[in-house]
Amino acid sequence: MRVTAAVVVSVVALATTTARAEPPFRDLPWIWPDVIMADDPWESVAVTHLRGGKRQFDEGWTRLSIPGGGNPTVVVHLYRAAYRDGHAIEIQVHPEYNRRRGRTGEDTRTWDGRRNEYKGPAYDEPTLKERRFTEVEWMAQMVGRLPSLMRSRIRVLTLETGYGGMWANRGRREVRFHTRFNDKLESYGAGEEYLIHEAGHLLEDEYAVTECWREAQRSDGEFISEYAASDPGSGRAGDWDGPGGEDFAETLLAYYALRWRPDRLTPADRRTIQETIPARIACMDSWGFGAERPR
């Protein structure tokens, strides 16, 4: 990961001088996949299929590559998801997303000189069109189950082919899914929890730069998960790697699990959250994060 020396120093200093104990959890979305469930109500949404358009994809994570490197431009399928509260997001679908019958071996990724090719027959176009729309609706409903604070920060949702996971682009206010990872989310039921995590990255530049947050980190002296401890964030707005790092995103999921759906946590997990990150919880309370009630 390309990080400036100044950021490395601040991250190392925070991790070594304040952490007092091993984090109690590893990676929260997989531990608590039922914070938001598929049969929970969602903000009603109308999905419209728009014409295709050109969008840029990040080199290394897409099936198309440019000789010599660079970010390829791809003609994608475009949709608009309009929510009852007035918020709307653009959903863009890579032309190869979910194309093959049987997802094993379907992806293509060029990385470090190695190329994995698609295998197996493709769906016919009418079937593929139906599959795309069904997937887009499923994603739009997942976003609709999020608290409005998080939903409002998402402007673009991208369904991408390849081996990547899920990640957020703060500049474009985009959350991106990849085929193989989406398989895993569907089977495990952790889609909304991962969306909360990624929406946390879209909130970093507003909240993780505040003195309230940085002081809370120092006061707690611990991290809620191993993943949070791996990247405490720099605390500086505009840093490419994020002022809140993975700590802010992981903490946000723990916070909403505690404040929104405490009945879906074990008593031991509720106690662990409260004892491990009390200052961070108080900080998010002061921002009004817990004011909205679940539907």
Side-chain angles (χ1 to χ4, degrees), residues 180-194:
R180 189 65 65 79
F181 191 69
N182 220 18
D183 249 2
K184 193 173 181 180
L185 289 176
E186 286 186 61
S187 64
Y188 201 69
E192 290 87 357
E193 290 72 24
Y194 254 98

Side-chain angles (χ1 to χ4, degrees), residues 15-149:
T16 56
T17 61
T18 64
R20 295 189 295 266
E22 290 295 318
F25 304 110
R26 184 175 180 182
D27 189 350
L28 299 187
W30 302 117
I31 297 171
W32 301 322
D34 296 332
V35 172
I36 300 177
M37 301 176 70
D39 57 357
D40 285 343
W42 63 81
E43 185 73 14
S44 61
V45 58
V47 177
T48 306
H49 186 192
L50 310 175
R51 293 184 177 182
K54 293 182 179 180
R55 296 293 185 271
Q56 193 173 69
F57 282 69
D58 297 274
E59 190 274 332
W61 296 106
T62 183
R63 85 176 288 265
L64 302 176
S65 59
I66 298 176
N71 297 330
T73 297
V74 181
V75 177
V76 299
H77 301 276
L78 292 177
Y79 301 79
R80 183 176 187 269
Y83 294 90
R84 183 180 58 183
D85 63 2
H87 183 60
I89 62 175
E90 176 185 276
I91 303 179
Q92 52 189 45
V93 183
H94 191 286
E96 296 294 342
Y97 181 85
N98 216 353
R99 175 179 293 275
R100 301 284 151 171
R101 297 207 296 267
R103 294 190 177 183
T104 302
E106 103 174 76
D107 307 311
T108 296
R109 180 183 178 193
T110 302
W111 199 257
D112 294 336
R114 298 188 297 273
R115 187 171 180 84
N116 301 288
E117 296 291 347
Y118 284 86
K119 299 176 182 177
Y123 287 101
D124 57 59
E125 187 55 36
T127 302
L128 184 58
K129 182 179 179 180
E130 182 180 346
R131 284 168 62 84
R132 276 196 300 263
F133 195 80
T134 299
E135 196 90 338
V136 166
E137 283 192 315
W138 180 68
M139 298 287 188
Q141 290 172 6
M142 280 206 304
V143 174
R145 293 188 189 97
L146 298 186
S148 60
L149 171 72

Side-chain angles (χ1 to χ4, degrees), residues 163-197:
Y163 285 88
M166 185 192 294
W167 53 267
N169 183 301
R170 300 188 337 268
R172 294 195 296 261
R173 294 199 174 276
E174 173 193 8
V175 176
R176 180 165 294 192
F177 295 78
H178 287 78
T179 303
R180 189 65 65 79
F181 191 69
N182 220 18
D183 249 2
K184 193 173 181 180
L185 289 176
E186 286 186 61
S187 64
Y188 201 69
E192 290 87 357
E193 290 72 24
Y194 254 98
L195 273 171
I196 288 177
H197 177 105

Side-chain angles (χ1 to χ4, degrees), residues 244-266:
E246 300 301 340
D247 183 31
F248 189 85
E250 287 281 278
T251 299
L252 189 64
L253 176 54
Y255 176 85
Y256 270 93
L258 184 67
R259 288 289 184 253
W260 262 48
R261 302 291 189 183
D263 57 312
R264 295 179 180 176
L265 298 174
T266 66

